[in-house]
Amino acid sequence: ASGVDLHRHTGVQLSLTDEPMRTILASDALRGVSDTTQYPDFAHPLLVGEHIRSYASAPLRLDNEPLGILFVGQRAAAQFDDDALSLLQALAQEAALAIRNARLYQREREQVQRLRTLDQLQRSFISAVSHELRTPLTCIKTSVDLLRDAAPAVQDELLNTVAHHTGRLEALFADLLESTRLEVGQVTLATQPTDLRRIVERTVTAVAPLMEQKGQRLETTLPDGPALADVDRRRIEQALTNLLANAHKFTPKGGHIRVTLERGGGELVVAVADDGPGIPHEQQAHLFQRFHVIPDGTGKVGLGLGLYITRQLVKLHGGRVWVESEPARGSTFFIALPVLEGESA
């Protein structure tokens, strides 16, 4: 701990420090020095700077654990008597107990905060899962009930509804399983030299119909030459799909989504930009956390796993993910992966 200046009131300075601990604790005893000039290696720099000529010190120990040193110094060169040293020893013991209690209190506060965070996370998870399960299950149940008495012309439409919402449930459970495997480190990569332009093209082609249904314009800008990286193609495509799905979700009808691939230093950077509502600054630090969600205003909250999965997959590749966003000015999500060069390329 830093020194506590009591000179204004008493002419005496107290300091808690671990800097000279090896000297004091070697004797594990009270030490009184009547003239600091005789012990230049032993005197604490703080005391020397204040022209302290004599001081007493006591080790702060608790259950044989060294916690620090308690110094009492004065400008006169005078020996501390036995009563002063006894008082110093008692103060040192009280200080050690206070330090331990402060540590225990801090640990207790941290534990309480962790439990509160865990409880909030559990509540958010249960709420999100309940919401995400309720809609497709209700639609499936309703469609199945209607199928019994539906005319043949309507049956195809009802079967398509069942298939669509069954796919939603499959995707939901796939994300839950994937996030759990990433959390416990059970995801392994099958990497190979890959031209990222092909992954971007394939992913954009796959999501283009969704954009068209919403009247969104999808623009892609790729480099002329190869953009090589050592990646697991399926996993990087999965990460990019998550970013495009987010852009599709938050971009309004008739909006514009831009996907670019550029080389920056030793990285290949994929950017997915949209002209949606943007992300509040206080939310951006938590975007890539598990189960963190930002409502889109339609009631479709989601589980908050897409960005978490994206970040974890990119980190496994030695890459990084980040976002740049301003409220009412859209958002841009970035994936940066190491460039593959040399003989491997």
Side-chain angles (χ1 to χ4, degrees):
S2 60
V4 180
D5 190 1
L6 303 180
H7 174 67
R8 289 178 302 171
H9 307 290
T10 64
V12 176
Q13 181 157 322
L14 302 179
S15 175
L16 270 175
T17 176
D18 60 0
E19 188 173 328
M21 190 181 296
R22 61 183 181 277
T23 304
I24 299 294
L25 295 184
S27 63
D28 195 21
L30 286 166
R31 180 73 66 91
V33 177
S34 59
D35 190 349
T36 59
T37 60
Q38 299 178 16
Y39 302 90
D41 295 333
F42 187 68
H44 188 265
L46 182 62
L47 303 180
V48 174
E50 293 291 330
H51 307 290
I52 299 299
R53 295 296 305 280
S54 59
Y55 65 84
S57 57
L60 302 181
R61 279 184 176 274
L62 200 60
D63 298 329
N64 293 322
E65 178 188 1
L67 302 177
I69 306 293
L70 179 60
F71 285 96
V72 178
Q74 59 184 0
R75 289 181 176 140
Q79 181 68 45
F80 288 83
D81 58 27
D82 291 340
D83 290 340
L85 293 178
S86 297
L87 176 60
L88 178 61
Q89 188 173 35
L91 287 173
Q93 183 64 23
E94 292 298 321
L97 288 172
I99 293 173
R100 183 190 65 175
N101 291 339
R103 288 179 175 178
L104 292 175
Y105 176 69
Q106 181 62 26
R107 291 171 188 169
E108 183 68 20
R109 288 186 61 186
E110 292 172 354
Q111 180 66 15
V112 169
Q113 185 58 43
R114 282 194 294 268
L115 290 175
R116 287 177 179 172
T117 302
L118 182 61
D119 181 65
Q120 182 61 38
L121 184 64
Q122 183 179 7
R123 291 174 184 270
S124 299
F125 170 72
I126 293 174
S127 175
V129 170
S130 300
H131 182 276
E132 288 294 297
L133 287 176
R134 185 182 300 114
T135 300
L137 286 175
T138 301
C139 291
I140 291 173
K141 182 179 183 302
T142 302
S143 298
V144 170
D145 290 340
L146 293 174
L147 272 172
R148 295 189 178 98
D149 302 318
V154 181
Q155 289 181 352
D156 287 343
E157 182 179 349
L158 292 173
L159 288 173
N160 288 335
T161 300
V162 171
H164 170 74
H165 289 287
T166 300
R168 284 187 60 185
L169 289 176
E170 288 177 343
L172 170 65
F173 287 112
D175 281 350
L176 286 170
L177 178 60
E178 184 82 329
S179 67
T180 301
R181 293 177 63 206
L182 285 166
E183 188 74 14
V184 299
Q186 292 183 348
V187 173
T188 57
L189 303 178
T191 62
Q192 55 184 311
T194 302
D195 188 351
L196 284 185
R197 295 179 305 170
R198 305 294 176 252
I199 291 182
V200 173
E201 288 175 342
R202 185 164 59 243
T203 307
V204 167
T205 300
V207 301
L210 289 176
M211 312 291 184
E212 293 173 0
Q213 290 176 5
K214 203 172 178 180
Q216 296 167 337
R217 292 180 295 122
L218 182 57
E219 176 187 340
T220 305
T221 303
L222 302 175
D224 296 330
L228 296 178
D230 189 28
V231 299
D232 184 318
R233 299 175 182 178
R234 183 174 68 87
R235 296 298 189 181
I236 293 301
E237 187 172 343
Q238 178 183 359
L240 184 55
T241 299
N242 287 341
L243 295 189
L244 286 168
N246 256 24
H248 166 67
K249 177 180 179 181
F250 288 97
T251 300
K253 290 183 179 181
H256 188 199
I257 297 171
R258 298 166 299 282
V259 182
T260 61
L261 172 60
E262 297 178 344
R263 177 166 177 165
E267 294 179 317
L268 294 172
V269 181
V270 182
V272 178
D274 62 63
D275 52 9
I279 303 168
H281 293 290
E282 63 273 13
Q283 295 276 3
Q284 293 180 23
H286 309 288
L287 274 181
F288 299 97
Q289 295 177 359
R290 204 177 183 199
F291 303 125
H292 182 80
V293 297
I294 300 179
D296 64 353
T298 66
K300 299 177 181 178
V301 176
L303 282 182
L305 292 176
L307 291 178
Y308 169 79
I309 291 173
T310 295
R311 184 190 65 173
Q312 297 301 104
L313 290 176
V314 173
K315 284 178 63 177
L316 286 176
H317 286 83
R320 56 198 182 99
V321 179
W322 72 97
V323 63
E324 296 177 2
S325 181
E326 291 290 337
R329 300 182 62 181
S331 305
T332 303
F333 286 84
F334 299 88
I335 293 178
L337 295 166
V339 173
L340 186 61
E341 296 178 313
E343 294 182 0
S344 298

